Amino acid sequence: MRRTLAALLLLALAVTPAAPAQAETALPSAGPGSATVVPVQVTGSPAKRFNVIVMGDGYTESQLPAFAADVDRHLNVMWSIEPFKSYRNYINVYRLDIVSAESGIDCDPDLGSPRRDTPLNMGFWGGCNPASVQRLVTMSNSAANTYANLVTGTSSANRQILALGNSGTYGGAGGAYATATGSNAMSALISPHELGHSLGGLQDEYDYYQRGVPGGAYSGAEPSSPHHTLLTEAQMAEQRRKWWRWLGEESESGGPIGRYEGGLYYSTGVWRPSRHSMMKTLGYYFDQVSREIMVRRISAKTDLVQSSTPAGAPVGADRVLWVEPMHPVSHALTVTWSLDGAELPATGVALDLRTLGLSPGTHTVQAVVADPTGFVRDPAIKAALSRTVSWTVDTALSTPPDGVEPGIVASTPTERPVGGTDVVYVETTHPARSVPRVTWTLDGTPVGDGGPALDLEPLALKPGTHTLTATAGGQSRTWTVDATAPATAYELSAPLVRSGDTYVYNGPVEMRLTGADEHPGYVVSESRVDGDGWFNYFGWPTSSELPWRFTETGTTIDHLVFGRLPRGRHVIDYRSIDAAGNAGAEKSFTVTTIAPPPACTRTVTGAHTGPLTVASGVTCLNGAQVKGPVTVRRGASLIVSGGSVTGAVTATGAADVQVLNARITGALSVHGTTGSLVLAGMELRGAATLTGNADPILTGTTINGALSCAGNTPAPVDLGVPNRLTGAGQCAAIQAAADAKRAASEPYEAVINSAAPEKGTDDHLHD
């Protein structure tokens, strides 16, 4: 399908963090243009891995630590996303520290901005081309390839280049190679999206050709893309085509897998599997359909059987056969052994033929290595995630001593902490006449069954840092196990009222998430709204330092809408994922948004003495101190924000009456409002009568006097923030709710609206 400029604007390619295996390599020259290869994660020979090379441009020598931090963020975001999270051991990652003569990249952010002297010649506007667009960041592909060749053992066939430009402006490009800016709020989210293209062969699910321009109607044949279709759900199920196996499943990116119109840059006439997967909206996960394809593509970049007993010539029946499978982080591959077509009870990576009592002659032994992942349902993909090794065993042959001693030759990287639920492995030597036993100890206590892999999840480790050691033949490997989940703190802008983790707002809601962990590495925070998909918290699109901003209509930035939150009650879950892959416990808070007050036509501030009559329009008392009665006539509106009224407040047939975080000393009588009646965070020192009003809200309010409610439509509600009152009639229900909450010892507080943020400890919305 066509690849448009819109697609090229959301690109990048990256991968992940932590480990060793290759010494740092540098160009012989020093100063600008010199480069150092830093192994970030090396899990095996480059010839048997998918190699990601992340190189920087526009970083001076003194800025290389900033480049390393940018890479850490990009990679840790990648590791928080499946299937990269589970298959991180299939990938080698190398960082190329390239010294730039000048800081920054060309034409950032405008065509009139300076050109920079940088080794990769990166620049916005497609390399400062007036016919291009700002967000398209290109580079010299030949220079990038020259630098990538510094990583020994990699080639264009087994590597992917990601170049990060030293800029905080949003931008990137993709194709054979990928670019992204290093420090923009959203740049780390470009990487997995672009890998969906370059590694997974996935198509864009955008419903526009370019931002701000609707894509129109698709009129072609059934798309070849596995995640786009013209078929209905019934047709997919009947014909067993496309994503029929996943229909109805709750999507990893939010909502059920089904049929959602728009994709391939068209607004109508073509459908995608989920509401907003990563290929539709940056920040969400791959949905199950795309994730299944990505599992196959990642696996295809490696060999599921890394090595084995040589299978070319017959072997004797007096030896051990072995296979060395790949090692996902989340689970172990299965090995099934068979003899002359009959499955054996043997498990594990080695089979001692001497235990089989073979009859004289030749026999066939097979080992089938398979990936049992639940990410795959398609039988064709399952078959692709399986390898078979066969040997001819001749009982007439004798195996000579090979002199191989038990020992450890490779393992899960030891330079970074492993997660508390990881599968940790060692690869041992393979003597012909014995199966090396691996002794595992956790904090000095033996664990495991002597095999070469240990699944930490069933051990249910206590939170904290542990030491894991594997020993075979006198050789040992030791890991730090990070079994402590990261903590997440949230901050919200000041609400109208609050009770514990329940908040009420009548305007924008600003939210900041901060993840923290006891071990080094970038912590990825996430949130979701009303059970929708988990969404990466990156700050605000224009700056990672700004909080996320929710509004009823959202905020349009570069033709995309961010932070749209419909009016009403919403549950926001939040959590963080640390550099070891540990996910923190899901916690939540509740936000209820109501309509903002009407615009003021008259504003009163400061002191006012004497009666005050609101005859028409909208009178706002903003922090005023009124000494005298207040009367609101039919059709007029009164908004009291802060301050105080000493005197009775009476409203009959008013349009709107709202008393927000203010104090009234006197009686309150409101009858027959046609718009809104909101009493939020107020204190009334007197009796109150509320009758015949539309949609009344009493939330976080204290009434030190009798309260009578009747004929309101519907009955008054407290929005989850209890009141302190003695209510009769319709208000008895909200009084009972408040009493129940206090009896349950739940916290209560009425929060006065101010500039101070509200904090919660151990957020986002989408396009």
Side-chain angles (χ1 to χ4, degrees):
M1 305 303 294
R2 54 185 180 155
R3 189 79 181 274
T4 70
L5 185 59
L8 295 177
L9 302 180
L10 292 175
L11 309 94
L13 162 244
V15 197
T16 120
Q22 174 178 322
E24 295 186 0
T25 304
L27 286 178
S29 60
S34 63
T36 302
V37 177
V38 180
V40 177
Q41 169 168 300
V42 180
T43 64
S45 166
K48 296 183 178 181
R49 293 293 187 274
F50 176 44
N51 302 285
V52 174
I53 301 173
V54 189
M55 57 183 68
D57 197 40
Y59 294 86
T60 63
E61 186 170 11
S62 65
Q63 293 173 324
L64 289 179
F67 172 60
D70 287 343
V71 173
D72 181 60
R73 180 171 63 95
H74 277 251
L75 300 184
N76 278 16
V77 168
M78 183 73 69
W79 288 142
S80 71
I81 298 169
E82 294 288 11
F84 301 108
K85 183 176 181 179
S86 288
Y87 292 89
R88 61 191 294 180
N89 283 345
Y90 286 37
I91 304 169
N92 287 342
V93 184
Y94 304 91
R95 192 181 78 229
L96 262 175
D97 292 348
I98 305 175
V99 178
S100 179
E102 293 186 292
S103 176
I105 60 177
D106 295 346
C107 297
D108 179 12
D110 302 313
L111 287 169
S113 300
R115 308 253 181 145
R116 308 291 185 183
D117 181 6
T118 66
L120 298 180
N121 197 31
M122 292 184 75
F124 284 88
W125 297 89
C128 301
N129 180 359
S132 184
V133 292
Q134 180 205 25
R135 296 186 301 273
L136 187 63
V137 178
T138 59
M139 65 175 175
S140 167
N141 287 355
S142 60
N145 197 56
T146 297
Y147 280 106
N149 287 338
L150 287 171
V151 184
T152 305
T154 70
S155 66
S156 58
N158 68 5
R159 72 187 179 208
Q160 178 72 52
I161 294 173
L162 167 65
L164 301 183
N166 186 14
S167 170
T169 306
Y170 180 91
Y177 304 150
T179 68
T181 50
S183 57
N184 179 263
M186 299 180 68
S187 61
L189 300 172
I190 297 173
S191 305
H193 174 94
E194 181 53 30
L195 275 180
H197 289 308
S198 58
L199 175 60
L202 301 174
Q203 301 295 316
D204 280 318
E205 295 180 355
Y206 311 141
D207 53 8
Y208 50 85
Y209 183 81
Q210 63 184 36
R211 290 186 183 180
V213 180
Y218 178 84
S219 58
E222 174 67 17
S224 59
S225 165
H227 58 117
H228 291 88
T229 192
L230 307 184
L231 302 175
T232 65
E233 290 187 37
Q235 288 171 331
M236 282 189 275
E238 290 167 3
Q239 300 175 28
R240 299 193 170 191
R241 296 179 62 190
K242 293 298 169 95
W243 53 89
W244 68 275
R245 295 180 181 86
W246 295 104
L247 288 172
E249 290 279 333
E250 195 64 27
S251 171
E252 294 299 317
S253 58
I257 296 292
R259 186 174 181 263
Y260 298 81
E261 193 165 21
L264 293 174
Y265 319 118
Y266 294 97
S267 302
T268 61
V270 66
W271 286 264
R272 62 187 188 274
S274 61
R275 184 182 303 130
H276 38 224
S277 80
M278 180 183 300
M279 303 313 292
K280 173 71 167 64
T281 307
L282 293 187
Y284 287 100
Y285 290 164
F286 289 110
D287 62 28
Q288 285 92 319
V289 180
S290 293
R291 185 182 64 186
E292 183 174 49
I293 295 167
M294 291 297 290
V295 169
R296 178 174 186 172
R297 295 302 181 95
I298 291 173
S299 297
K301 288 289 185 179
T302 67
D303 191 338
L304 293 186
V305 179
Q306 294 291 286
S307 185
S308 68
T309 303
V315 299
D318 58 349
R319 64 160 301 143
V320 173
L321 299 180
W322 56 271
V323 292
E324 197 62 73
M326 284 294 296
H327 303 280
V329 172
S330 60
H331 61 282
L333 303 189
T334 62
V335 183
T336 303
W337 296 89
S338 64
L339 171 65
D340 296 331
E343 187 173 325
L344 295 170
T347 59
V349 299
L351 175 66
D352 191 339
L353 296 176
R354 294 169 295 182
T355 65
L356 301 181
L358 298 180
S359 60
T362 60
H363 301 270
T364 299
V365 174
Q366 287 189 331
V368 178
V369 178
D371 188 342
T373 176
F375 293 168
V376 172
R377 291 184 177 177
D378 186 338
I381 298 180
K382 282 184 177 291
L385 301 183
S386 176
R387 297 288 185 276
T388 300
V389 183
S390 297
W391 298 268
T392 296
V393 180
D394 187 345
T395 59
L397 297 178
S398 181
T399 305
D402 58 8
V404 175
E405 296 294 330
I408 297 175
V409 297
S411 69
T412 297
T414 58
E415 286 70 18
R416 60 171 174 83
V418 297
T421 60
D422 285 4
V423 176
V424 184
Y425 72 90
V426 294
E427 294 177 356
T428 68
T429 58
H430 297 286
R433 298 294 184 90
S434 64
V435 178
R437 178 177 177 80
V438 180
T439 300
W440 296 89
T441 60
L442 182 69
D443 298 330
T445 300
V447 292
D449 60 3
L454 179 68
D455 188 350
L456 295 175
E457 185 169 16
L459 300 181
L461 301 181
K462 292 181 179 180
T465 300
H466 303 270
T467 300
L468 178 67
T469 299
T471 303
Q475 297 179 345
S476 296
R477 297 284 172 99
T478 297
W479 299 265
T480 296
V481 180
D482 175 6
T484 301
T488 311
Y490 72 85
E491 279 183 50
L492 300 177
S493 52
L496 277 177
V497 290
R498 165 194 177 187
S499 175
D501 290 317
T502 299
Y503 302 82
V504 176
Y505 289 86
N506 64 351
V509 182
E510 292 188 343
M511 175 183 67
R512 186 189 307 277
L513 286 182
T514 305
D517 190 61
E518 59 185 3
H519 293 280
Y522 180 78
V523 177
V524 177
S525 295
E526 300 178 322
S527 67
R528 64 181 177 187
V529 177
D530 298 331
D532 200 8
W534 286 104
F535 187 85
N536 180 281
Y537 177 81
F538 49 79
W540 187 241
T542 58
S543 172
S544 60
E545 300 302 315
L546 295 175
W548 190 269
R549 182 180 175 86
F550 294 103
T551 60
E552 189 170 343
T553 58
T555 302
T556 299
I557 300 173
D558 198 10
H559 301 289
L560 296 180
V561 179
F562 297 88
R564 183 167 52 222
L565 188 69
R567 191 180 303 171
R569 180 181 183 274
H570 303 280
V571 176
I572 300 179
D573 302 315
Y574 62 95
R575 69 181 183 187
S576 293
I577 301 172
D578 65 21
N582 297 307
E586 300 172 12
K587 298 188 177 182
S588 64
F589 55 88
T590 300
V591 168
T592 299
T593 57
I594 61 177
C600 305
T601 58
R602 174 192 179 195
T603 301
V604 177
T605 60
H608 177 90
T609 302
L612 180 64
T613 299
V614 181
S616 63
V618 180
T619 293
C620 296
L621 308 183
N622 289 348
Q625 291 81 46
V626 176
K627 294 184 178 180
V630 178
T631 302
V632 186
R633 292 181 176 172
R634 188 173 301 277
S637 296
L638 173 69
I639 311 298
V640 184
S641 298
S644 63
V645 175
T646 303
V649 176
T650 304
T652 301
D656 299 277
V657 175
Q658 297 190 14
V659 184
L660 314 174
N661 297 308
R663 184 176 67 242
I664 296 176
T665 302
L668 172 68
S669 176
V670 183
H671 174 72
T673 56
T674 58
S676 62
L677 170 58
V678 180
L679 307 180
M682 68 162 286
E683 180 186 2
L684 175 65
R685 298 179 178 179
T689 302
L690 309 175
T691 58
N693 301 291
D695 298 311
I697 296 172
L698 276 74
T699 178
T701 284
T702 298
I703 298 180
N704 296 311
L707 169 62
S708 176
C709 300
N712 300 290
T713 308
V717 294
D718 65 8
L719 304 181
V721 178
N723 302 278
R724 289 192 176 99
L725 47 83
T726 301
Q730 287 180 315
C731 289
I734 57 175
Q735 177 190 341
D739 292 343
K741 197 158 191 175
R742 281 193 292 272
S745 299
E746 294 190 27
Y748 162 77
E749 55 183 311
V751 178
I752 301 300
N753 197 352
S754 68
E758 295 300 317
K759 296 185 179 182
T761 57
D762 143 61
D763 133 46
H764 112 229
L765 212 59
H766 40 80
D767 286 8

